[in-house]
Structures are given as C-alpha cells and as structure tokens.
Amino acid sequence: VGPDTGPTHIAAALGVPTVSIHLGFPPEVCRALGDTVALVRQERPFDDPAKTSPAAVLAAAEAIAPGRLRREARAADCR
C-alpha cells in the first residue's frame, strides 16, 4: 500500500499485490501497471489527502488479496 511513487510502481512491476493511492495526477496519466494493482483515487486531482478514506484503501486491498488482511491480522494476534 503506497502513494503513486517509484516504489509502488516497482512493486507492481514485480507482481506484488499493490494498492496505489493517487493523490495528485489522475491514474490514467501515470498509474502503476499490472494485474495485481488496485487503485484508490481522489474525487479531484490534488484534493485534500484527508478525503481519501481508510475504508477505500482497505476495500482496494481486499479486492486484490481477498482474505489476506484478515489472515495476517489473526496471525499477528497469535504472536
């Protein structure tokens, strides 16, 4: 999970499940590419980042890795 930056693009290129949060330029212009990329976008480019909800980010993560977040959270609770 990360903003639309170089490391996010590298993760996507390597096939890592990636949530790319676009806070500036529209994803149509500069999105990370790949089958394992989920996008979270703002209503308007360069809008207040606080308007990007955690629920939207979690939904995007769940879309590319169903159940993985819950499994990892349970595993962390067992430690």
Side-chain angles (χ1 to χ4, degrees), residues 62 65-79:
E62 185 66 25
R68 183 173 178 178
L69 295 175
R70 286 188 288 268
R71 285 192 306 274
E72 290 180 6
R74 281 195 301 270
D77 286 342
C78 293
R79 293 181 197 158

Side-chain angles (χ1 to χ4, degrees), residues 1-49:
V1 176
D4 181 41
T5 61
T8 304
H9 285 251
I10 292 169
L14 293 172
V16 175
T18 305
V19 176
S20 182
I21 305 169
H22 284 261
L23 301 174
F25 294 102
E28 296 81 16
V29 176
C30 60
R31 65 173 288 216
L33 302 175
D35 295 334
T36 60
V37 179
L39 300 174
V40 176
R41 62 172 41 210
Q42 294 182 302
E43 288 183 31
R44 292 183 309 244
F46 300 102
D47 208 355
D48 181 358

